Amino acid sequence: MTNFFHGVEVVEVDASFRDLQTTSSSVIGLMGTASAAHAEDFPLNTPILLVGNKSEALQKLGGEGTLGLAIHAIETQQPSTLVVVRVAEGESDGETLQNLIGGVDAQTGAYTGVQAFLGAESSVHVKPKILIAPGSFKGPNGQTADPLLTALIAVAEKLHAIVVADGPNTNDAAAVAASVSAAHPRVYLVDPFVLNLAGVAVPAS
């Protein structure tokens, strides 16, 4: 006698191992500076994948710049998969800003600055979906660094990602003004700064 099944039949197989994959929407693209970093482990303008325990990576980044503090703060809240891009710290805020914005190297054709996130999937096989550059949205005059935000938005559009941007962290009027200038469907403005940053110390290198 033939058995007829009406609807969907599910067959569960328990006999083999299955790979666990990271949810792509939770991958953070983190960009910043770390002047004391080990250059061989964190070369400039190169996507570096960090998963699991970040202690060794923090040691190699050192205590200078924005990357070490940001990674430590993220891990304090929720361990995450990170794609880290280190840029050179300039002699002025304006020069650092240009390094963060980046572009395409005329000599090598390689991506630099925020554009490096576009090459993450081909180099580390992970596509960042949450783009951040902690402490980098204040320009030389304390205003939101619109050119950097514009560059991040352009990259976020291509990656179908979002940008989490720092607010001015001063008063309500400044926060409202920043929210107007940063208004975009892919931008999430955070003001005041993440409270976990208070008192967070990066392990000494």
Side-chain angles (χ1 to χ4, degrees):
M1 179 177 178
T2 303
N3 292 323
F4 292 95
F5 295 95
H6 299 279
V8 178
E9 180 184 4
V10 177
V11 178
E12 184 175 348
V13 179
D14 301 335
S16 61
F17 294 102
R18 290 176 292 176
D19 293 335
L20 295 177
Q21 296 183 344
T22 302
T23 304
S24 61
S25 61
S26 67
V27 177
I28 297 174
L30 172 63
M31 180 178 63
T33 60
S35 57
H38 294 190
E40 62 275 16
D41 295 298
F42 290 93
L44 294 173
N45 302 301
T46 304
I48 301 297
L49 181 64
L50 298 182
V51 296
N53 192 304
K54 311 297 191 302
S55 298
E56 184 178 353
L58 286 170
Q59 295 288 338
K60 292 179 178 180
L61 280 168
E64 303 295 328
T66 59
L67 284 178
L69 181 62
I71 292 173
H72 197 65
I74 290 170
E75 292 299 291
T76 299
Q77 297 179 69
Q78 176 63 51
S80 304
T81 298
L82 305 178
V83 175
V84 176
V85 173
R86 183 174 74 93
V87 302
E89 188 165 354
E91 295 183 2
S92 66
D93 289 343
E95 187 176 338
T96 300
L97 178 61
Q98 289 304 313
N99 292 339
L100 289 165
I101 293 171
V104 179
D105 189 293
Q107 300 296 324
T108 65
Y111 291 124
T112 63
V114 65
Q115 305 299 322
F117 287 132
L118 296 175
E121 188 171 21
S122 61
S123 60
V124 298
H125 312 295
V126 172
K127 183 187 296 185
K129 289 293 188 177
I130 303 171
L131 308 183
I132 58 177
S136 303
F137 290 98
K138 286 188 175 182
N141 299 317
Q143 302 299 316
T144 301
D146 290 332
L148 174 58
L149 188 58
T150 299
L152 279 166
I153 290 172
V155 171
E157 291 279 9
K158 294 177 181 178
L159 295 177
H160 303 288
I162 64 169
V163 178
V164 178
D166 296 333
N169 198 41
T170 52
N171 54 54
D172 290 346
V176 171
S179 68
V180 172
S181 66
H184 189 279
R186 293 193 179 276
V187 175
Y188 291 77
L189 191 72
V190 177
D191 191 284
F193 288 170
V194 178
L195 297 181
N196 271 32
L197 285 175
V200 173
V202 178
S205 58

